[in-house]
Amino acid sequence: MDVDRAKGETYEEQHVHGVYEQIASHFSSTRYKPWPIIERFLKELPDGAIGLDVGCGNGKYLSVNRDIFIVGSDRSSNLATIAKRHAPHSVLVADLLHLPHPLHTFDFAISIAVVHHLSTPERRVEALESILQTLAPNGKALLTVWALEQEGSRRGWTEGDDQDVMVPCVMRGSKKGAARGEEVGGGGEDRVFSRYYHLYRKGELEGDVERAGGEVVEGGWERDNWWVVARPRVML
Amino acid sequence: MKLLTLNFLTCARKTCKSSPAAFPLHPRDAELEQVETEMNPVFLRNILPRLEWEAMRSITTELGLPSLPAETPDPGALLENDGNGDGEDAGSAGPSQIARDLHALLMETCIASGKLVCGNCGHEYAVKEGIANFLLPSHMV
């Protein structure tokens, strides 16, 4: 099977976006504790810094620092609706590859556990280009993606495993859940939803950043994720 | 969507990005609401110089709102009783009327519903329950 031709936008519509719309509030309830590394990045920004949270999910990073302005965006309108509860910032529904922002403008961007949902290498580089292009010349982006190298985690993936995986998410059936419009699974039974992820190998995110016209400032591995701080490449 | 956000939005289409007409997006059929928000004077002082002032003025005019001042206010104008206008003593002085008005206009006035229109290609993005939707139909991508 020609995997790359089968992947792409339509694949992601079914295996990423459609799933998030259905599991939005369940997903949100499991993602509430901000990560130290991301909190620190946001809190160290100068007062008045302006930036983006691309793929903001339930918006948990939007109110970490009250002295900066963040425009959050997510592909899922159900998640954006949840994120909007985090005043005072703004939230939009937008596609990461078609962001509605002026280019070369923002002091910072964060994109936390997002780029790994793009299903081809070219689309992942395109995603990074899209984010880097929003940054002013001295702006920087914090990016995190799931790591292949996570033997210690519950899922236990490790080097040598297939990097393209479907990750299940179980939503416990409940009468309360069935009453809410956006969730499927009424009648009390559990439902399993699977989302597509590309697990990044060591060094792969750095390579993608460079292919996207960026430079890596620093990076590392933490809690089963690879992270980098990237900036637009300095033209000499 | 608070009005301040409009300063940071353009048409999502790649072909419009290079056109000056794509910024700012023009509100149409907008229903506005005031959402009370805690004032942050330091934040306001920092963000004002970053705004495309003329663009924001044109938006307030289009919406029939009180106009923004002709020029970006100096930091001193944001503080009450700032005798020498240099913006110092920020810790002791409260926000001036100008600051309060700007806060009300930029941070508390929100588009609850309506459309945002690209001045270059004419595409209309819908705003519902305060959230703008910038997803493009596949033929426009």
Side-chain angles (χ1 to χ4, degrees):
Chain A
M1 172 171 90
D2 187 329
V3 167
D4 276 353
R5 210 173 293 144
K7 297 265 176 76
E9 204 173 335
T10 315
Y11 183 86
E12 289 151 25
E13 185 58 54
Q14 183 185 355
H15 294 292
V16 178
H17 307 309
V19 179
Y20 273 117
E21 281 291 71
Q22 291 184 83
I23 67 171
S25 52
H26 166 83
F27 174 80
S28 176
S29 68
T30 65
R31 293 331 194 240
Y32 51 85
K33 206 156 176 295
W35 273 17
I37 213 168
I38 303 159
E39 261 199 317
R40 194 170 63 234
F41 178 87
L42 291 170
K43 286 188 165 161
E44 286 175 359
L45 292 166
D47 290 351
I50 302 163
L52 306 174
D53 183 348
V54 181
C56 64
N58 66 352
K60 77 180 191 218
Y61 293 113
L62 297 180
S63 34
V64 165
N65 182 339
R66 300 217 57 233
D67 298 322
I68 61 178
F69 186 65
I70 307 187
V71 183
S73 61
D74 202 273
R75 184 71 168 56
S76 158
S77 54
N78 286 336
L79 282 172
T81 301
I82 293 169
K84 185 170 181 288
R85 298 173 201 161
H86 292 272
H89 303 282
S90 283
V91 177
L92 323 162
V93 174
D95 189 305
L96 150 61
L97 299 182
H98 305 281
L99 292 172
H101 301 300
L103 302 179
H104 318 306
T105 301
F106 296 91
D107 303 317
F108 71 92
I110 62 172
S111 189
I112 307 305
V114 178
V115 177
H116 55 204
H117 282 310
L118 286 122
S119 55
T120 70
E122 294 76 21
R123 285 171 70 76
R124 290 188 287 273
V125 170
E126 208 185 317
L128 294 172
E129 275 173 352
S130 180
I131 295 168
L132 289 166
Q133 280 169 8
T134 64
L135 297 177
N138 54 359
K140 49 183 186 168
L142 172 64
L143 310 158
T144 75
V145 293
W146 281 21
L148 174 66
E149 299 86 344
Q150 48 172 293
E151 306 84 35
S153 76
R154 183 161 53 98
R155 307 202 198 278
W157 292 301
T158 188
E159 196 173 325
D161 286 346
D162 190 353
Q163 287 178 256
D164 293 308
V165 296
M166 297 299 294
V167 177
C169 157
V170 181
M171 254 174 50
R172 305 277 167 222
S174 72
K175 289 206 174 73
K176 202 163 117 192
R180 255 185 251 124
E182 83 275 11
E183 286 175 23
V184 186
E189 76 274 9
D190 292 353
R191 282 205 55 180
V192 180
F193 294 88
S194 286
R195 282 160 296 156
Y196 166 81
Y197 283 79
H198 174 80
L199 304 174
Y200 269 77
R201 302 191 61 202
K202 180 177 181 174
E204 188 181 347
L205 184 57
E206 284 86 339
D208 279 358
V209 165
E210 276 160 31
R211 268 184 287 278
E215 282 179 352
V216 174
V217 174
E218 54 172 329
W221 181 101
E222 187 167 303
R223 301 189 193 185
D224 307 325
N225 282 258
W226 291 112
W227 64 270
V228 297
V229 173
R231 65 177 177 212
R233 184 169 300 133
V234 176
M235 295 299 178
L236 295 167
Chain B
M1 165 192 299
K2 55 177 56 77
L3 286 196
L4 178 69
T5 313
L6 287 172
N7 192 81
F8 304 107
L9 294 177
T10 67
C11 186
R13 299 174 77 187
K14 288 189 174 22
T15 46
C16 286
K17 290 287 165 96
S18 48
S19 167
F23 173 84
L25 296 173
H26 302 279
R28 191 172 290 165
D29 305 329
E31 264 183 42
L32 301 178
E33 57 183 359
Q34 288 296 112
V35 178
E36 205 176 301
T37 306
E38 199 187 323
M39 177 147 184
N40 184 336
V42 169
F43 173 76
L44 192 66
R45 187 178 66 195
N46 282 311
I47 207 151
L48 289 183
R50 307 291 301 273
L51 301 183
E52 298 293 328
W53 200 251
E54 274 314 306
M56 295 305 288
R57 283 195 83 204
S58 71
I59 287 172
T60 55
T61 305
E62 281 173 36
L63 288 169
L65 291 168
S67 283
L68 287 174
E71 280 168 5
T72 314
D74 288 329
L78 300 177
L79 297 168
E80 259 178 346
N81 305 321
D82 182 38
N84 55 4
D86 63 359
E88 292 304 319
D89 299 322
S92 48
S96 66
Q97 193 57 47
I98 292 175
R100 274 191 270 260
D101 290 345
L102 286 170
H103 174 78
L105 195 52
L106 295 172
M107 300 295 288
E108 293 186 327
T109 307
C110 300
I111 300 176
S113 68
K115 297 172 230 196
L116 297 174
V117 185
C118 175
N120 189 53
C121 70
H123 187 68
E124 299 181 349
Y125 298 99
V127 181
K128 287 184 193 148
E129 290 170 28
I131 299 179
N133 189 320
F134 285 95
L135 297 182
L136 294 166
S138 45
H139 68 274
M140 293 185 95
V141 159

